[in-house]
Amino acid sequence: MSTVTPVAPSMPAAIDSGPASLALPEAERRRVPPPRASAMASAVDWLRRNALYVALLLTLASSLVCLVLSITQPAVGWDLRPVAGAAPTAPVGLRIHGVVPQGRADTAGLEAGMVVLALGVPGTDAVTLTAQDKLEDPDLLHNYSEWAAFYARQDRLARIMKAPLVEATVVRPGHPPERVTLQPRAYRLVEGLPWSFWGQLLIGALAIGAAGWVVSVYPSSPTTLFTAMSSFFVMLAGHSAAVFSSRELALPSGLFHALSVVNHASSALSLAALALLIGSYPKRLPRWPAWLEVALLPLLLAWIVADAAWLLPSPNWGSRSLQSLLMALVLINLLRQGLAARGQPRVLRAVGGTALLLLCGTTMLILLLELLPIWRIMPPASQALIYTFVLVSNLGIALATRRLRPYDLDDWTSQAFVALAGAVGVWALYRGLVTLRVMEDSVALIVALLVCWLLYVPLFHWLSRSYLKRAQPSLEDLTGEILLMGLIRPADRLAAWRGLLARLFNCRCLDADAVPQAVADPARATLLPGGEVLWIPATAGMPALLLRDRGHARRRFNEHDRRLAQRLCGLVGQLVATRVAYGQGAEDERLRIADDLHDDLGAKLLSLVHASGRPDSNVEVPRMAREALEEMRLSVRHLKAQRAPLTDVLADWRAETVARLTAAGIDVDWDAQLPERPRLLSARTSSQLTRVLREAVSNLIRHSDATHCRVLLNVSETELQLELEDNGRGMDQVAVAVSVGHGLGNIERRVRRLGGSHRFVVGALGGTMLLMRVPLEPHAALSVAET
């Protein structure tokens, strides 16, 4: 007997309202970040993120197994049902309710309304059929001897159906009995499977699909785990019952018993998971004694094994009693939830909705299919009809409690459901037209597509306006405000950030006084237990925040919201960082220009002013004016960011250096080693190195008293090396002489800006040697056109 348990809302215990409940000791605020997740944790995280796809694969695999088990049984294409009013063991035969078009029963002339009295192989004794042969579930039998007799008849009928020829004794209304020879197929036609088979497969698929959606949307918690477990076992119970309850006539006893064991075990385990689920939603109840929790699972498994092996006194002690006890445990937990929720209207409403769902669904199913047979009362309806009643009642309860919003469907989920409903509508209308033989297959398909399209378009627009449209704006609607986060003043940024989050998630935005214990990584957005609070990490210099009361406390935050908040934090952080970097870059550029103007061009203009007042200024003034002009050209070239060929830059350096040193009476040896490929120097590198070389030559002329110097330049693909050596007074005297000026400081600052290094040492000529290494920009090779 299979139970269909509802997928309860997957929220664990509701956390107390107000930020005070999130306060932690000071030690918790300074926690060390957790270590890297293990492989098992990564696998669990992947499974949670892909739970919908895993649920789809599970239901497809289970449905495929059920379909294969059903269609690989021999069949003649008839729908046999017990004769109304006949006793279960009375030899009155089975009535033909319908035949599959063009099936073996149809071609043999059998029609609906006939009664099949007996079935056998020609030349052997036939088996007289009884109503018990089409018993949906052996759970309705009252002792194991009846089960054994039932399985024996199923084996005998299954062997008859496997014969090449089968002889059936049938009675037409108002005619004497006659014998009809049938040739069973080795397989069952798919169109011969009844609606009850597809209905039970659909119920199992909906259960596991809802569980996969819950696991993927809501945070990981015991409640989501119990929801997934309960729904998984519901699927197994429903799918196994679909095979044996919709059999054409008989199944081999081994397969029948295996399916029945799976059905019993899955039903019991789904109820056990439901009891644990009710124990954690909507509030986490106090735990049972430890010894009871430890003994519960082994006791449950032992009971299931004993029932499967027929070791109990009777079937009443098996699955019926076990499921009744588990259902009682569910109701006890539900009562405890109601007592714990006194004085909390929202929690009481959630408990009341869950209780109504259980009473109208699972409890009714247990009562009709498990408790009534204990007193030898047959169920008033078939399993498939009761399952349909449970499904419809669950949907009705979900609509009645929609204001509580135990689930918060994402837009894509709602649209997927609408699209699925449209596809199901097309298939149902098409199959209905074909089954009723209203029109041919091709015409029926065109009509079904046309009708469903005409109904689907206005229905989808109505649903979009009424249910699928979000109350809060989307991320695209707030693009302008997000971009403004990088432009507004830092003093106004926090208020704008809080307003942006409040409008996007339709919630209240509160300060976080401390890091909640449930936040494993304070640098990432985190859903706190229950989904009622979303932790927003500190970003862009703004403190961490807590989002609460989403949609006036009618909705909870889900995993989609957490990912959206994390992306938004990253985007705002990048925007603010870009703005800060831009401002810092502009400030650095202003300081560089000021340094260049003050240290180089300003100094030379000042020298020009002083020189013009001296009697011997006729020679000095033109030279200083030319140097000031060169400094201005360097600054302008740097501002325009014009690249120059390396050979041209070195030629300018050589001409200027040799001219200055020769005019000062110093001999020069110039040696330059260039790379094989022509390359370019950026304006920044060129201007800074030009000023470094000028400053070094000026120091040499003014303070070294040298008569000879050597300049060595070695340029590779990645760096430039400079050696400037003289035969003057040496390092100590030079350092003392220039300490009162800015020469060494200018050289150090410019080399550091280029990311290089330099040092002064005693050279081989006995004087001072400047060693400098500066990295060059990559991809600065000179193109063919530039050469």
Side-chain angles (χ1 to χ4, degrees):
M1 164 50 239
S2 169
T3 60
V4 177
T5 57
V7 181
S10 66
M11 293 296 110
I15 63 177
D16 298 331
S17 60
S21 63
L22 300 176
L24 292 175
E26 182 67 25
E28 279 294 330
R29 307 183 188 182
R30 299 190 299 268
R31 289 180 306 168
V32 179
R36 182 176 297 180
S38 61
M40 179 63 70
S42 300
V44 171
D45 182 66
W46 178 90
L47 184 63
R48 182 184 59 79
R49 287 185 285 105
N50 298 275
L52 269 177
Y53 302 106
V54 174
L56 178 62
L57 290 177
L58 284 176
T59 190
L60 287 178
S62 179
S63 300
L64 182 61
V65 171
C66 293
L67 185 61
V68 170
L69 291 177
S70 296
I71 65 176
T72 52
Q73 304 301 321
V76 295
W78 56 22
D79 181 10
L80 299 177
R81 299 186 183 181
V83 177
T89 57
V92 295
L94 296 172
R95 186 180 301 278
I96 300 178
H97 186 264
V99 294
V100 178
Q102 299 180 355
R104 299 299 169 88
D106 187 22
T107 56
L110 301 183
E111 300 174 352
M114 293 182 175
V115 175
V116 183
L117 299 177
L119 202 65
V121 178
T124 62
D125 294 334
V127 177
T128 303
L129 300 181
T130 65
Q132 197 175 80
D133 293 326
K134 279 294 290 182
L135 194 64
E136 282 188 330
D137 195 333
D139 282 354
L140 301 177
L141 301 175
H142 302 287
N143 53 67
Y144 291 128
S145 60
E146 293 181 2
W147 275 38
F150 173 80
Y151 280 159
R153 287 182 62 84
Q154 287 287 304
D155 272 332
R156 187 175 179 186
L157 290 173
R159 287 194 296 270
I160 291 174
M161 293 297 295
K162 288 183 179 180
L165 295 177
V166 173
E167 190 174 71
T169 303
V170 300
V171 176
R172 300 175 185 270
H175 292 78
E178 59 179 293
R179 293 186 177 181
V180 177
T181 301
L182 301 172
Q183 185 180 2
R185 295 179 183 271
Y187 57 90
R188 192 176 183 183
L189 297 176
V190 175
E191 54 266 30
L193 295 173
W195 285 99
S196 59
F197 174 83
W198 301 109
Q200 293 178 83
L201 289 188
L202 178 61
I203 290 172
L206 290 177
I208 193 66
W213 175 81
V214 167
V215 172
S216 63
V217 169
Y218 287 104
S220 300
S221 67
T223 310
T224 54
L225 174 63
F226 298 148
T227 300
M229 291 173 55
S230 177
S231 300
F232 174 74
F233 290 122
V234 165
M235 180 193 70
L236 291 183
H239 285 189
S240 58
V243 177
F244 63 70
S245 65
S246 62
R247 66 190 186 278
E248 189 175 81
L249 179 58
L251 289 176
S253 61
L255 176 60
F256 207 136
H257 187 62
L259 293 172
S260 179
V261 169
V262 171
N263 179 267
H264 289 178
S266 301
S267 301
L269 292 173
S270 67
L271 281 174
L274 181 61
L276 296 173
L277 176 63
I278 300 301
S280 61
Y281 175 84
K283 295 182 71 68
R284 183 164 298 178
L285 297 175
R287 300 181 61 179
W288 295 93
W291 64 268
L292 182 59
E293 292 184 351
V294 172
L296 181 61
L297 183 59
L299 179 62
L300 179 62
L301 295 179
W303 201 328
I304 291 174
V305 171
D307 177 52
W310 294 355
L311 300 177
L312 299 174
S314 72
N316 291 338
W317 288 83
S319 63
R320 296 173 189 169
S321 299
L322 179 59
Q323 294 184 42
S324 300
L325 289 175
L326 290 172
M327 192 65 212
L329 181 60
V330 171
L331 296 178
I332 290 174
N333 274 346
L334 196 58
L335 179 60
R336 295 173 65 205
Q337 285 284 358
L339 295 176
R342 287 179 298 181
Q344 302 181 43
R346 288 190 64 244
V347 181
L348 274 176
R349 287 197 298 269
V351 173
T354 306
L356 185 59
L357 188 149
L358 289 174
L359 292 175
C360 294
T362 306
T363 307
M364 188 65 66
L365 189 66
I366 296 295
L367 175 63
L368 295 179
L369 296 182
E370 296 295 341
L371 294 180
L372 289 183
I374 294 179
W375 293 285
R376 297 182 179 270
I377 301 176
M378 295 298 292
S382 65
Q383 279 193 10
L385 183 59
I386 296 176
Y387 288 166
T388 305
F389 166 73
V390 171
L391 180 61
V392 172
S393 67
N394 288 355
L395 294 177
I397 297 303
L399 292 176
T401 59
R402 65 183 183 275
R403 291 184 62 84
L404 297 177
R405 292 196 167 183
Y407 293 123
D408 179 22
L409 295 180
D410 294 327
D411 288 339
W412 67 269
T413 311
S414 304
Q415 293 169 5
F417 286 161
V418 173
L420 179 62
V424 171
V426 171
W427 179 82
L429 182 58
Y430 164 71
R431 292 302 305 170
L433 294 176
V434 172
T435 302
L436 297 176
R437 300 184 180 181
V438 177
M439 52 190 68
E440 298 180 356
D441 285 7
S442 58
V443 179
L445 180 59
I446 295 174
V447 171
L449 288 173
L450 182 61
V451 171
C452 289
W453 179 76
L454 292 176
L455 294 177
Y456 178 80
V457 173
L459 179 63
F460 180 77
H461 284 292
W462 174 73
L463 289 174
S464 299
R465 290 193 305 268
S466 302
Y467 296 99
L468 305 184
K469 189 175 181 180
R470 289 293 186 190
Q472 70 273 9
S474 64
L475 194 60
E476 289 77 11
D477 298 332
L478 300 176
T479 302
E481 295 186 38
I482 296 173
L483 294 177
L484 284 176
M485 291 294 299
L487 303 177
I488 59 179
R489 298 182 305 169
D492 302 330
R493 191 172 293 148
L494 179 58
W497 176 235
R498 294 169 66 107
L500 176 63
L501 292 173
R503 283 189 294 276
L504 179 60
F505 294 104
N506 190 22
C507 64
R508 290 195 302 135
C509 190
L510 305 177
D511 293 329
D513 299 330
V515 179
Q517 188 176 5
V519 177
D521 185 0
R524 296 184 61 82
T526 305
L527 283 170
L528 299 188
E532 295 185 358
V533 179
L534 178 60
W535 163 268
I536 302 297
T539 183
M542 296 177 290
L545 300 171
L546 293 175
L547 304 185
R548 307 178 62 93
D549 298 335
R550 187 181 185 198
H552 304 290
R554 292 181 181 174
R555 295 174 57 193
R556 293 178 173 86
F557 296 98
N558 54 36
E559 183 63 22
H560 172 74
D561 299 325
R562 189 200 66 78
R563 292 194 297 266
L564 177 61
Q566 186 64 38
R567 289 197 299 268
L568 186 60
C569 289
L571 178 60
V572 171
Q574 290 177 1
L575 289 173
V576 174
T578 301
R579 174 64 177 174
V580 171
Y582 174 80
Q584 185 64 41
E587 181 66 20
D588 292 344
E589 188 65 14
R590 285 193 295 269
L591 292 176
R592 187 199 61 79
I593 294 174
D595 288 345
D596 289 347
L597 294 179
H598 177 272
D599 296 341
D600 299 315
L601 185 58
K604 286 183 170 49
L605 291 177
L606 182 62
S607 300
L608 183 61
V609 171
H610 291 309
S612 62
R614 297 199 301 267
D616 56 345
S617 61
N618 293 334
V619 178
E620 292 293 327
V621 169
R623 180 183 62 80
M624 292 183 179
R626 285 193 298 271
E627 290 179 357
L629 180 62
E630 288 297 325
E631 289 295 337
M632 184 187 68
R633 287 175 177 173
L634 274 177
S635 299
V636 171
R637 182 186 301 173
H638 191 176
L639 291 176
K640 291 183 177 180
Q642 295 177 343
R643 296 190 302 171
L646 176 64
T647 53
D648 293 352
V649 174
L650 294 184
D652 292 342
W653 290 353
R654 177 175 183 177
E656 179 181 347
T657 301
V658 171
R660 292 183 62 190
L661 291 173
T662 302
I666 302 174
D667 296 333
V668 184
D669 288 338
W670 180 278
D671 186 11
Q673 304 293 330
L674 302 182
E676 297 181 358
R677 293 188 305 168
R679 62 172 296 135
L680 298 174
L681 279 184
S682 67
R684 174 174 177 268
T685 303
S686 175
S687 62
Q688 295 295 337
L689 289 178
T690 299
R691 291 187 172 94
V692 168
L693 184 60
R694 282 180 181 174
E695 192 68 45
V697 171
S698 297
N699 290 336
L700 188 153
I701 294 173
R702 295 170 186 170
H703 309 295
S704 67
D705 293 336
T707 59
H708 180 75
C709 76
R710 182 176 61 88
V711 181
L712 175 61
L713 279 166
N714 190 354
V715 185
S716 66
E717 294 292 336
T718 58
E719 68 175 5
L720 181 146
Q721 299 180 16
L722 169 66
E723 296 181 7
L724 179 60
E725 181 183 6
D726 62 65
N727 62 349
R729 292 184 295 175
M731 181 62 197
D732 294 338
Q733 293 79 3
V734 172
V736 172
V738 302
S739 61
V740 296
H742 299 87
L744 295 181
N746 290 342
I747 291 175
E748 180 182 1
R749 185 171 60 254
R750 297 185 191 281
V751 172
R752 187 171 62 249
R753 286 177 180 174
L754 295 176
S757 61
H758 78 290
R759 60 188 176 125
F760 289 95
V761 298
V762 177
L765 299 179
T768 303
M769 174 183 287
L770 169 64
L771 301 177
M772 182 179 65
R773 300 166 68 97
V774 174
L776 299 179
E777 298 86 351
H779 310 295
L782 189 64
S783 64
V784 177
E786 290 171 318
T787 58

